[in-house]
Amino acid sequence: MLWDYIDELERTNPGSSIHVKLTENEIANKPYIFQRIYICFAACKEGFNPGCRKIVGVDGYWLKSPMYGTQLLAAVGLDANNNIFPIAYAIVEKETHDTWSWFLNYLSVDLEIGDHGGWTFMSDKQKGLLEAFNDVLPFVSHRFCVRYLYGNFRRAIFSGFSLRNALLAAAKATTVKFFHDRMSDLLNLDADAVSWLNTNHQVNGLDLTSIQMLSVISC
């Protein structure tokens, strides 16, 4: 059934990228076992490259089922109206350095990223993802979702509307100077909060921009 599905995708969406990985069956003379599949529709490739900014969000989700413990990896962009634009997705056995590297390798080809800069990827620091970026796309800028960042920030006892608003203001900064001004506001509210960011999210000196987000992403 899987091969029939792939044939139909290729028939109805010519130019799509579809990659499947199988594993050998431990039982002799039995068919190979499905392991992973990557899909990027031709329309998504053709729409993203000329019409969207070089900003890509990646995330992983559990596919909860009694039979399958797999995960869905997805990459999305932002169109001209700041709406979510789907790019590619994959079903893999679990979220690891290997599966993310496998996904990013195909994604970089479909988006024609090459070895040049100008690309920004946003994530929630999924398992193995940062290591995969270092191996596959070491030259891209990497940003963390401010919702994920604030969730950890709050769990580290830095709660309250004042700290939340100060962090979001820094995340929405559009210039380095404005960002540092907002981080100074956060420092005045709670020096320990800034220290926690320095320790846990590598926010030091000019590298403070490593937690900087686009306002559309932080909403």
Side-chain angles (χ1 to χ4, degrees):
M1 292 178 65
L2 179 61
W3 300 121
D4 291 340
Y5 175 66
I6 292 172
D7 288 342
E8 186 65 14
L9 289 182
E10 292 176 339
R11 183 187 70 82
T12 57
N13 300 269
S16 298
S17 299
I18 306 170
H19 304 281
V20 179
K21 184 175 182 181
L22 308 176
T23 57
E24 291 188 14
N25 198 320
E26 295 180 357
I27 304 175
N29 301 320
K30 291 292 183 179
Y32 282 73
I33 299 173
F34 168 80
Q35 186 176 359
R36 304 171 190 167
I37 185 170
Y38 169 95
I39 298 175
C40 179
F41 293 111
C44 294
K45 288 189 285 185
E46 294 167 4
F48 179 85
N49 287 329
C52 297
R53 288 159 289 178
K54 296 180 178 180
I55 301 170
V56 180
V58 291
D59 204 351
Y61 316 85
W62 282 105
L63 297 177
K64 297 179 181 178
S65 163
M67 295 180 60
Y68 310 105
T70 55
Q71 286 195 297
L72 175 72
L73 307 184
V76 300
L78 294 171
D79 66 16
N81 293 320
N82 285 333
N83 294 321
I84 292 176
F85 186 97
I87 302 172
Y89 64 94
I91 296 174
V92 299
E93 62 276 21
K94 54 185 176 180
E95 222 175 342
T96 65
H97 177 192
D98 179 52
T99 56
W100 273 117
S101 296
W102 185 82
F103 180 77
L104 291 176
N105 269 304
Y106 288 125
L107 183 66
S108 64
V109 173
D110 285 329
L111 297 185
E112 302 176 3
I113 294 178
D115 58 356
H116 48 80
W119 289 84
T120 298
F121 278 75
M122 185 191 74
S123 76
D124 287 353
K125 298 178 69 175
Q126 288 85 354
K127 295 179 180 178
L129 179 56
L130 297 185
E131 294 83 356
F133 269 111
N134 290 335
D135 291 344
V136 181
L137 298 169
F139 45 83
V140 302
S141 297
H142 200 79
R143 299 291 183 263
F144 301 139
C145 171
V146 74
R147 284 189 176 181
Y148 166 85
L149 178 61
Y150 176 68
N152 288 343
F153 186 73
R154 184 176 57 184
R155 283 190 290 272
I157 71 169
F158 301 111
S159 58
F161 284 108
S162 296
L163 289 176
R164 174 183 179 276
N165 292 338
L167 179 61
L168 292 180
K172 294 180 180 181
T174 55
T175 67
V176 173
K177 181 183 184 304
F178 187 74
F179 175 75
H180 281 289
D181 289 343
R182 301 292 73 76
M183 289 301 295
S184 295
D185 295 339
L186 182 58
L187 180 66
N188 292 332
L189 287 171
D190 193 330
D192 290 337
V194 175
S195 177
W196 181 88
L197 289 170
N198 287 332
T199 302
N200 292 277
H201 290 275
Q202 300 177 351
V203 186
N204 280 302
L206 292 177
D207 290 334
L208 283 167
T209 53
S210 66
I211 69 163
Q212 199 170 352
M213 291 281 95
L214 297 177
S215 59
V216 66
I217 294 175
S218 65
C219 293

